Amino acid sequence: QVQLVESGGASVQSGGSLRLSCAASGFIDSSYCMAWFRQAPGKEREGVARMDSYGNTRYADTVNGRFTISRDNAKKTLYLQMNSLKPEDTAMYYCAARAGACVVSWSRYSYIYWGQGSQVTVSS
């Protein structure tokens, strides 16, 4: 069983920064593909960033250049550094994991394991 627990969400003003963390436990190792998704009220859950076991990363166009995904395999922790935050970044942010390689699709159904979410609110 794999458990993912996010933390670090908060309310910030536009232009501010936050770092989200996702602590993993259970049968999960560095070979897993890890990702961040977000879901705003009334909207579909969307992929934000992902990282494979080799450290290769992909970002959604809406956050590219502002967000950075990283992972500490020794601590089994995934991070999302978010800079230059905008009101449209307001959402519940979820950590997700899948065994093996990342897939090209951003579909949420490609990921089996999910955290409970951490709320990020950006005010103008």
Side-chain angles (χ1 to χ4, degrees), residues 29-30 32-34 51-53 70-73 77-79:
D29 59 27
S30 60
Y32 277 56
C33 171
M34 303 291 294
M51 175 178 271
D52 66 15
S53 60
S70 61
R71 63 198 287 176
D72 184 330
N73 291 324
T77 302
L78 182 73
Y79 302 100

Side-chain angles (χ1 to χ4, degrees), residues 21-55:
S21 299
C22 171
S25 61
F27 193 68
I28 184 170
D29 59 27
S30 60
S31 69
Y32 277 56
C33 171
M34 303 291 294
W36 289 98
F37 282 72
R38 67 185 181 185
Q39 188 167 16
K43 294 190 176 181
E44 294 289 322
R45 190 170 298 189
E46 62 176 1
V48 174
R50 63 176 182 249
M51 175 178 271
D52 66 15
S53 60
Y54 298 100

Side-chain angles (χ1 to χ4, degrees), residues 89-112:
D89 294 318
T90 295
M92 185 71 79
Y93 283 71
Y94 297 91
C95 174
R98 56 170 279 127
C102 292
V103 296
V104 173
S105 170
W106 280 110
S107 172
R108 60 182 293 183
Y109 301 106
S110 298
Y111 295 84
I112 297 175

